[in-house]
Amino acid sequence: MIHLGDPNPYGRAARTTTFRALRLLSAGEFRSGEALASSLGVSRTSVWNALRGLEKVGVTLLRLHGRGYRLAAPIDWLDPAQLRRHLGVQAETYELQVVEMVESTNTTLLEQAVGGAAGGLMLAAELQTRGRGRRGRAWYAGLGGALTFSVLWRFDQGAGFLSGLGLAVGVALVRALRGLGLKEAMLKWPNDLVVRHHKIAGTLVEIQGDVLGPSLAVVGVGINFRLDPSTRQNIDQAVTDLVTEGGPHDRNRVLGQILVHLAQVVDAFRAHGFGPLRSEWDSYHVHAGRPVTVRLPDGAREEGTAAGVGEDGALLLQTRAGLRRFHSGEVSLRAADEGIRRSASPL
Ligand code: BTN
């Protein structure tokens, strides 16, 4: 869990001041504590309080005696108006909500879905304080250093129809990232995006509904945009980020492109399911035809050769005992291949 400017005696007010002060500092120039205080209509102590502890959320603030505060890396804030421009004709698919801080965009959208929110509602957060990953893990991302958002989609079909949706979302993400210049973006089953085996994005798809329909899915996406040292420390796997991989620095453009591809893929999925997207998914599969180990949730392991995915999104594994299908588990390259991968990896 991330604490922003915590512990402090001012609570919510200090957090609001934090974001307002950060926006004033976004131009990238030094601003004195006094100038910030007067622009914000608060005391210098409040400014000082609001701006402490930021390194915990991945923001490096330079403090120079006599000059004041400056952000080491400017924050490119998300903005619904800019996003809408990048969406083009897909703008009408979405209702866009951007918030500064939320526990988890998935959790919030699931709550809003229960309250009757319409499909196409997109919630992006500058900072999640309890971001959730797959299999109960936490998802860490620094303020302004990631894209963390969720979209609520509603379907007439039953929840079973949605079993391949997570993989379809992966196809949309690869299309978007490759279109933005990340030509080596690949998929790792079930729905990690990797570049040269380093994770750049993950998705958390949460489904609710009746067997016969209707149903809904909250599609949560977390993309490493510009990883800061403090966030990296929390992550226990090989990771990379969009800026390191030569992608655009404009977060609104990247999110816009992703939403365009997501809307197209969800449209196709709604009409025909995952089947028609399956061969494209296979073409992006980083483990295609490679010897892998699947670690199952109960700790058991299965070895075999990755043989694509089924129409329901299951991983197909060619084992000595024949073709097996997996609906959950963690896939890794087997040891001999792992050695090759490590020596080929520049990171
Ligand atoms: C994973 O790789 O384990 C999935 C990560 C999904 C993270 C995203 S960030 C936006 C949305 N809200 C969450 O709490 N999780 C997802």
Side-chain angles (χ1 to χ4, degrees):
M1 179 170 165
I2 293 169
H3 296 270
L4 177 58
D6 219 358
N8 70 60
Y10 301 105
R12 183 181 289 272
R15 288 201 293 272
T16 308
T17 309
T18 303
F19 278 100
R20 290 176 63 214
L22 286 174
R23 284 182 189 271
L24 289 176
L25 289 166
S26 293
E29 285 151 16
F30 271 104
R31 305 269 310 240
S32 70
E34 201 174 347
L36 286 171
S38 115
S39 300
L40 297 169
V42 298
S43 67
R44 282 177 63 183
T45 311
S46 301
V47 170
W48 182 85
N49 244 313
L51 291 179
R52 78 200 158 102
L54 282 171
E55 60 286 345
K56 280 183 249 158
V57 294
V59 174
T60 306
L61 194 63
L62 310 172
R63 290 179 176 86
L64 216 61
H65 192 68
R67 296 197 65 191
Y69 302 92
R70 182 168 82 80
L71 286 174
I75 299 174
D76 176 33
W77 300 91
L78 291 173
D79 169 31
Q82 283 189 53
L83 267 176
R84 211 164 282 120
R85 274 200 297 280
H86 290 295
L87 287 178
V89 292
Q90 293 293 356
E92 59 198 41
T93 306
Y94 293 103
E95 185 194 328
L96 304 175
Q97 285 182 3
V98 176
V99 295
E100 284 172 338
M101 193 159 87
V102 76
E103 281 199 359
S104 149
T105 54
N106 261 45
T107 306
T108 304
L109 274 200
L110 282 168
E111 285 163 12
Q112 297 197 5
V114 172
L121 177 58
M122 193 285 317
L123 175 66
E126 297 291 1
L127 180 67
Q128 291 187 126
T129 53
R130 244 181 241 259
R132 295 190 289 117
R134 284 177 53 241
R135 304 178 64 182
R137 296 194 192 113
W139 174 267
Y140 295 101
L143 172 56
L147 284 171
T148 49
F149 66 96
S150 305
V151 184
L152 167 65
W153 299 103
R154 291 191 179 273
F155 299 86
D156 294 334
Q157 296 95 335
F161 176 78
L162 303 189
S163 57
L165 179 64
L167 274 70
V169 169
V171 169
L173 291 176
V174 173
R175 286 183 189 172
L177 292 196
R178 289 192 175 194
L180 290 165
L182 278 80
K183 301 291 178 207
E184 292 181 82
M186 303 284 280
L187 290 166
K188 174 175 176 279
W189 188 88
N191 39 22
D192 281 358
L193 251 90
V194 295
V195 176
R196 286 174 279 98
H197 293 272
H198 289 66
K199 183 160 172 172
I200 194 164
T203 61
L204 177 67
V205 177
E206 298 184 284
I207 291 168
Q208 288 182 359
D210 297 329
V211 181
L212 297 176
S215 58
L216 65 86
V218 169
V219 171
V221 180
I223 299 189
N224 300 328
F225 199 84
R226 189 195 308 244
L227 279 166
D228 62 89
S230 134
T231 304
R232 263 181 203 271
Q233 269 178 10
N234 285 321
I235 305 175
D236 61 355
Q237 59 180 307
V239 285
T240 186
D241 62 51
L242 202 113
V243 168
T244 304
E245 298 302 332
H249 290 215
D250 179 344
R251 291 165 80 225
N252 287 289
R253 178 173 163 220
V254 175
L255 180 51
Q257 277 307 297
I258 291 170
L259 292 176
V260 165
H261 286 282
L262 189 59
Q264 288 166 353
V265 162
V266 170
D267 249 19
F269 182 91
R270 198 184 288 290
H272 308 290
F274 177 60
L277 295 164
R278 187 175 156 194
S279 61
E280 185 175 350
W281 196 99
D282 279 338
S283 74
Y284 301 146
H285 189 186
V286 72
H287 291 148
R290 308 285 288 275
V292 293
T293 302
V294 181
R295 261 176 301 147
L296 302 172
D298 65 1
R301 287 159 181 263
E302 191 77 55
E303 294 195 340
T305 304
V309 289
E311 294 219 353
D312 58 354
L315 176 75
L316 308 180
L317 190 72
Q318 191 63 56
T319 70
R320 288 207 181 120
L323 193 66
R324 290 207 52 197
R325 309 169 68 86
F326 294 92
H327 292 277
S328 59
E330 289 291 317
V331 186
S332 53
L333 276 177
R334 288 230 299 280
D337 253 41
E338 179 88 348
I340 296 167
R341 165 170 96 62
R342 279 191 195 285
S343 56
S345 167
L347 287 179

